[in-house]
Amino acid sequence: MKHTTPARRQHGAALLEALISILLFSLGVLGIVALQAKASQFSVDSEDRTRAALLANQIVSQMWAQQSTTLDAATLSSWQAQVSATGSGLPAASGSVSVDSAALATVTISWKAPWRKSAEQANSYVTKVMIP
């Protein structure tokens, strides 16, 4: 009867352990890459929200300067062109200003990030202001 030595039964175990550790390391690296991609998207979303707030503040400042919630057509169309311009930083953006009977102006800016799949995932920024 032939006895096998313990070293013979362990043949290839080191290779298997190395392959498993490479697999686990690869999964960890993929996880870190996915986290970095999400962080980048969140950063761009934050930048877009900041840009929308600045654009809304711009039109509200013009209302405050005129002490009126009504804007002439040229000022409003110029602002809307700036909101929808490619260089504004807001992709597929549109802006609107509406005034109710109590002289409360509502400024709405909507945009859709390129990685959003549907229209329901569009972003919007709404601010309301009352001019005394």
Side-chain angles (χ1 to χ4, degrees), residues 5 7 13-14 18 32 42 56 86 98 101 112 119:
T5 63
I32 289 172
F42 289 145
T86 307
S98 62
S101 60
K112 185 173 177 286

Side-chain angles (χ1 to χ4, degrees), residues 55 58-59 73-85 88 93-98 108:
L55 289 167
Q58 179 182 7
I59 196 71
T75 302
L76 186 58
S77 65
S78 172
W79 176 77
Q80 287 173 331
Q82 185 178 5
V83 169
S84 61
S88 71
S94 64
S96 66
V97 178
S98 62
T108 305

Side-chain angles (χ1 to χ4, degrees), residues 65-131:
Q66 296 176 3
Q67 291 294 312
S68 172
T69 55
T70 59
L71 295 168
D72 58 32
T75 302
L76 186 58
S77 65
S78 172
W79 176 77
Q80 287 173 331
Q82 185 178 5
V83 169
S84 61
T86 307
S88 71
L90 295 175
S94 64
S96 66
V97 178
S98 62
V99 181
D100 66 6
S101 60
L104 180 69
T106 303
V107 179
T108 305
I109 300 175
S110 300
W111 71 96
K112 185 173 177 286
W115 58 83
R116 305 276 189 205
K117 293 182 177 31
S118 65
E120 295 88 35
Q121 294 180 327
N123 296 314
S124 65
Y125 180 85
V126 178
T127 188
K128 296 183 180 195
V129 64
M130 184 171 286
I131 306 295

